[in-house]
Amino acid sequence: MGNLASRELQLIRSQFAFPLRDRTVTNNAASTQPPLAVFELLRDLSETYENVHRGQSDASIRTTEMFEASFDTIAAWINAPSRRTLSMHRSTTEAINAAMYSLMADFRDGDNVVTTLMEHNSNYVPWYALCREILPRFGLRVECRLARFDHETGELDLEHLASLVDARTKLVCCTGGSNFLGTKPPLDSVRAIADAGGYAQPDGRRGALLLVDGAQRFASSRVDVQAMDADFVAFSFHKLLAPFGVGVLYAKETLRESLPPFLYGGDMIAEGRVFPDRVEYNELPWKYSAGTPNILGVIASAQTLRLIVDMVGADAERAWFRTDDPISSAAVDAAMGIVAGHAASLTQQALEELSAIDGLHVYGVPRGRERTPLVAFNVDGHSPFDIARALNAQGVESRAGCHCATLAHHDLAIDPPASCRVSFTLYNTPEDVDRVVEAVRQAVDTPERFVAAPAPSGAPHPLEGVAERI
């Protein structure tokens, strides 16, 4: 499946604010732009704004219904068995930390965690901290091991990964899609390697647990957690057109039932079940929902998923946005198939055109192979930060830095550990790719034009006219 037709793209882009500013938004691997209809929804929800689960007002009851239905939408979107497997957090990072803290007391002296050199810092630093800073304070020695990747192709070295997993490997952590190399590791193979270690889990199961950082995979392809067979999957909605502030941790229900919560307090406690000698926890999934959650953010995130189905015309029979009806697997499959195919086509176009620029080196997965919809590159003799600033001066939004994939940049001996990255999603066009490539050419051929470029004068305030637009 390739690019969306020009007319379809024009209709999709008309539902966002950024084209009004003539922005070329190509930093989507970091965060995407929310549709105007989602901001409109948030405004409408504010008219009956109330807390959930404990109120008797009509507003509280209706808000609770929408909040709980959002869990069902999200579960259906990733083919989770039920809402009982989900917990909501502020981000993918917090979701991974939630898994770490829930698992912390299960580790035994001599255990190890295996992750990879291609991980986002959020799927390495928590495990580093657990092994090097937290557990040693309790007298426990737990090792953190790192699997290599192929420097030419960006592919995970499965043989090396397998050599690191043994009978004391409690947990394997792996990205579902690299935000630097573009790699989508074969998670079925990773699952098999984790199982083969034979670790004796507390529930009697043999094999390492598998945690997948699904942030980039969720944004660019259909995620089926049951087919993936991961024990934990973390992702966030701001990479798929929703506002900031909501991340998700999926965990198998057996783990949800047996593990302790990450946070303790209101709402994760069974109603009236706090005593001097015991505390009884709420039923799933609310056992993992301490305190007042980001209610509107969760509702808006789930509704954004429904809006995507409508936006791409994935279901000709009906509209899904602003409903709580159980969403069909066929609609999700079709919608994410369109998103994935369009983003993949743009990414291959960018790879082909950027590779024609002298001295430009692209990292990770080569042209013609499946990758996350991003291109990270450096140009000989040019700072990636200077290139990103030069692109910005030409109206193209990219990103320079290590993209929180610091281990991989060091492993590739990139000095300084940084690259420039462009990334694509549903609302990008082939013309956006052309603008990116031309802007890079200009940055390389005439860098003096962009040295200390002044900020544009007379730019309108970011909030000017927002009320009229939404």
Side-chain angles (χ1 to χ4, degrees):
M1 195 176 295
N3 290 117
L4 288 160
S6 177
R7 184 174 175 277
E8 294 172 314
L9 268 175
Q10 186 178 4
L11 183 60
I12 288 170
R13 288 168 65 86
S14 71
Q15 300 180 58
F16 293 84
F18 72 88
L20 301 174
R21 300 290 189 189
D22 197 28
R23 295 169 57 196
T24 303
V25 177
T26 49
N27 186 26
N28 298 292
S31 287
T32 51
Q33 305 294 306
L36 291 168
V38 174
F39 292 115
E40 204 170 83
L41 170 67
L42 286 168
R43 183 189 65 187
D44 292 347
L45 288 171
S46 68
E47 296 176 5
T48 54
Y49 186 84
E50 246 295 12
N51 214 319
V52 296
H53 287 156
R54 302 296 164 88
Q56 287 72 46
S57 69
D58 289 345
S60 178
I61 292 167
R62 178 55 186 148
T63 304
T64 298
E65 289 172 349
M66 290 188 291
F67 179 69
E68 294 191 356
S70 298
F71 277 68
D72 296 330
T73 295
I74 296 162
W77 195 269
I78 62 172
N79 195 31
S82 77
R83 67 168 73 163
R84 292 168 60 84
T85 61
L86 305 179
S87 57
M88 300 296 150
H89 304 276
R90 292 181 299 174
S91 58
T92 305
T93 300
E94 186 173 275
I96 293 172
N97 274 268
M100 185 268 281
Y101 279 107
S102 288
L103 285 169
M104 183 169 61
D106 268 3
F107 280 89
R108 305 192 298 264
D109 191 56
D111 284 351
N112 65 76
V113 176
V114 176
T115 183
T116 85
L117 284 166
M118 68 172 65
E119 300 304 314
H120 190 284
N121 290 342
S122 295
N123 203 24
Y124 167 63
V125 176
W127 310 111
Y128 168 90
L130 180 75
C131 297
R132 298 287 189 90
E133 297 175 0
I134 299 173
L135 293 179
R137 297 189 178 197
F138 298 94
L140 298 176
R141 296 162 299 167
V142 175
E143 185 182 0
C144 186
R145 301 172 177 176
L146 291 165
R148 297 187 296 254
F149 64 90
D150 187 287
H151 286 194
E152 294 300 316
T153 67
E155 297 301 321
L156 177 61
D157 187 335
L158 294 173
E159 185 175 342
H160 186 234
L161 176 71
S163 74
L164 299 177
V165 174
D166 58 27
R168 297 305 303 272
T169 302
K170 179 172 183 61
L171 178 71
V172 173
C173 304
C174 184
T175 182
S178 168
N179 73 329
F180 166 48
L181 301 166
T183 313
K184 287 187 171 182
L187 295 176
D188 55 345
S189 299
V190 177
R191 171 81 269 177
I193 290 169
D195 288 340
Y199 183 92
Q201 298 289 348
D203 61 1
R205 172 187 150 182
R206 289 282 177 174
L209 299 172
L210 173 61
L211 182 147
V212 174
D213 173 359
Q216 296 297 327
R217 201 177 190 106
F218 171 76
S220 59
S221 60
R222 173 72 148 110
V223 169
D224 184 332
V225 293
Q226 294 192 74
M228 193 182 289
D229 197 26
D231 297 284
F232 301 94
V233 182
F235 59 92
S236 49
F237 290 105
H238 69 95
K239 297 184 187 297
L240 190 58
L241 308 189
F244 300 117
V246 181
V248 178
L249 180 66
Y250 159 83
K252 289 182 176 178
E253 190 168 332
T254 53
L255 291 168
R256 287 279 182 214
E257 290 171 338
S258 62
L259 289 175
F262 163 44
L263 295 171
Y264 294 80
D267 209 27
M268 54 79 65
I269 302 159
E271 181 70 23
R273 306 307 293 171
V274 177
F275 306 95
D277 61 341
R278 72 185 190 280
V279 174
E280 297 176 15
Y281 299 143
N282 208 340
E283 63 182 11
L284 294 175
W286 320 123
K287 172 185 172 182
Y288 292 89
S289 295
T292 299
N294 182 358
I295 299 163
L296 299 189
V298 171
I299 294 171
S301 296
Q303 287 295 328
T304 299
L305 300 179
R306 292 170 172 271
L307 181 59
I308 290 169
V309 177
D310 298 344
M311 201 181 294
V312 301
D315 188 344
E317 299 298 319
R318 57 161 299 168
W320 290 97
F321 185 53
R322 289 192 179 236
T323 75
D324 291 337
D325 300 339
I327 194 163
S328 71
S329 179
V332 179
D333 287 343
M336 287 312 295
I338 292 168
V339 172
H342 179 69
S345 178
L346 296 177
T347 305
Q348 291 302 318
Q349 177 190 345
L351 284 167
E352 184 173 345
E353 295 181 13
L354 285 169
S355 296
I357 296 175
D358 289 342
L360 187 146
H361 175 71
V362 173
Y363 298 103
V365 181
R367 278 182 289 171
R369 297 190 192 177
E370 184 184 9
R371 58 150 56 218
T372 53
L374 57 89
V375 182
F377 63 91
N378 273 319
V379 183
D380 294 340
H382 297 268
S383 160
F385 298 97
D386 288 344
I387 290 177
R389 283 189 281 265
L391 265 59
N392 183 63
Q394 299 173 76
V396 173
E397 299 172 9
S398 63
R399 183 171 182 171
C402 66
H403 320 299
C404 294
T406 315
L407 288 172
H409 278 77
H410 283 310
D411 198 52
L412 289 168
I414 302 171
D415 187 20
S419 57
C420 189
R421 185 187 70 190
V422 292
S423 45
F424 309 98
T425 191
L426 174 63
Y427 46 61
N428 287 120
T429 67
E431 291 74 25
D432 285 344
V433 177
D434 292 338
R435 279 191 286 272
V436 166
V437 174
E438 181 56 28
V440 174
R441 283 202 182 96
Q442 292 294 327
V444 171
D445 293 344
T446 57
E448 64 280 358
R449 289 177 51 202
F450 309 106
V451 175
S457 60
H461 189 279
L463 297 182
E464 181 183 320
V466 166
E468 289 77 9
R469 290 200 303 275
I470 63 173

